[in-house]
Amino acid sequence: MTDFVARPADYAVDEQDWGHLVWMVSGALGNSAVLTVGKCFIKPGQANPPHYHPNSDEVLHVVRGH
């Protein structure tokens, strides 16, 4: 079994009109086939549009705001 550690140098930043995502774990990064973990930064008055992930679970942590 191989262990993977998410390192900041390997994170991927996804810029959007509404803000940006910093992906730490994902299939695209090669460190998980079934889980996506990232930090989501949403600009005031904006929203991440509704969407779904049929092939993985996603975890986003809201630090402040609502």
Side-chain angles (χ1 to χ4, degrees):
M1 179 176 160
T2 303
D3 293 328
F4 292 99
V5 176
R7 292 181 169 83
D10 299 325
Y11 296 172
V13 178
D14 183 7
E15 296 287 344
Q16 300 290 327
D17 291 338
W18 48 262
H20 68 277
L21 298 149
V22 179
W23 297 116
M24 297 173 273
V25 177
S26 72
L29 292 174
N31 54 8
S32 180
V34 296
L35 179 67
T36 303
V37 178
K39 295 179 188 177
C40 185
F41 298 85
I42 299 175
K43 296 175 185 176
Q46 299 295 311
N48 184 340
H51 62 284
Y52 70 100
H53 300 272
N55 299 321
S56 71
D57 293 321
E58 178 177 270
V59 177
L60 295 172
H61 181 131
V62 177
V63 176
R64 67 178 168 222
H66 58 275

